[in-house]
Amino acid sequence: MNLLLKYLSSCWFLNNPADLVPPKSFMWKNVTFYLISGFIVEGLISDPADGTLEVLGRFIMAFSSIGALLLFEKKWHYFNQLYTSIFVCENFIMTLAVGAEMLDLWMTMHHIEPREEINIAAATFLVTWYIAIVSYIFRQFFNYRTSISVIFAFSYFVLTYGIPMLLMDI
């Protein structure tokens, strides 16, 4: 629990995730949570079979992107630390997204007029926060300038969410 709290503090930009070394069991639990929460969220949004394929596509793209970046930077030894840092924060954001979906359901059932505007604002906030977190993690691991880390974080977001979503629409 203490390690999880240390990783979660990186989501608030308070801790250097490069200083944390996760044990194998923590890494596998993190990946399992990532997959299960992704299956649940995508299953609620779309067809469960399509959602499952999209989550698996995101998973493959996430590992591939992280691996490619680490090979490019010649810092492969950070793989477990980097993907764990990103996935813990992504799991946190995904949990908040589930809460936003529950809020949407409640607003729909109570016929709240500005429901769409609230949903768009929540989604924009969560995506912006996610990109900021990944940017922070990249800065901590690679000592990038802020602008470079934001570009890499946005690219990571497009690769892990955009490409699998695009492939599912084809």
Side-chain angles (χ1 to χ4, degrees), residues 5-70:
L5 293 175
K6 287 180 182 178
Y7 271 108
L8 286 175
S9 68
S10 341
C11 300
W12 300 98
F13 316 106
L14 299 174
N15 197 4
N16 185 350
D19 294 338
L20 302 173
V21 180
K24 295 278 185 206
S25 64
F26 183 81
M27 293 184 311
W28 284 112
K29 288 174 188 173
N30 191 30
V31 167
T32 302
F33 186 87
Y34 175 87
L35 291 171
I36 291 172
S37 65
F39 294 150
I40 291 169
V41 169
E42 290 300 325
L44 291 172
I45 294 172
S46 65
D47 178 72
D50 287 345
T52 300
L53 288 175
E54 187 172 332
V55 170
L56 291 175
R58 283 197 325 241
F59 178 75
I60 291 167
M61 288 305 297
F63 271 87
S64 300
S65 301
I66 291 168
L69 178 62
L70 289 169

Side-chain angles (χ1 to χ4, degrees), residues 48-117:
D50 287 345
T52 300
L53 288 175
E54 187 172 332
V55 170
L56 291 175
R58 283 197 325 241
F59 178 75
I60 291 167
M61 288 305 297
F63 271 87
S64 300
S65 301
I66 291 168
L69 178 62
L70 289 169
L71 286 174
F72 175 76
E73 291 291 336
K74 296 177 178 68
K75 294 187 176 186
W76 183 254
H77 58 282
Y78 283 134
F79 184 81
N80 292 341
Q81 289 172 275
L82 182 58
Y83 97 76
T84 301
S85 300
I86 291 173
F87 275 32
V88 166
C89 292
E90 190 162 349
N91 288 339
F92 176 67
I93 295 292
M94 187 65 72
T95 303
L96 294 177
V98 169
E101 287 184 22
M102 292 185 331
L103 177 63
D104 177 53
L105 177 63
W106 181 84
M107 289 188 299
T108 301
M109 293 173 64
H110 289 85
H111 307 289
I112 306 294
E113 291 268 338
R115 179 184 72 79
E116 287 185 32
E117 291 83 2

Side-chain angles (χ1 to χ4, degrees), residues 100 103-104 107 114-128:
L103 177 63
D104 177 53
M107 289 188 299
R115 179 184 72 79
E116 287 185 32
E117 291 83 2
I118 292 169
N119 289 336
I120 290 169
T124 302
F125 173 76
L126 290 175
V127 168
T128 302

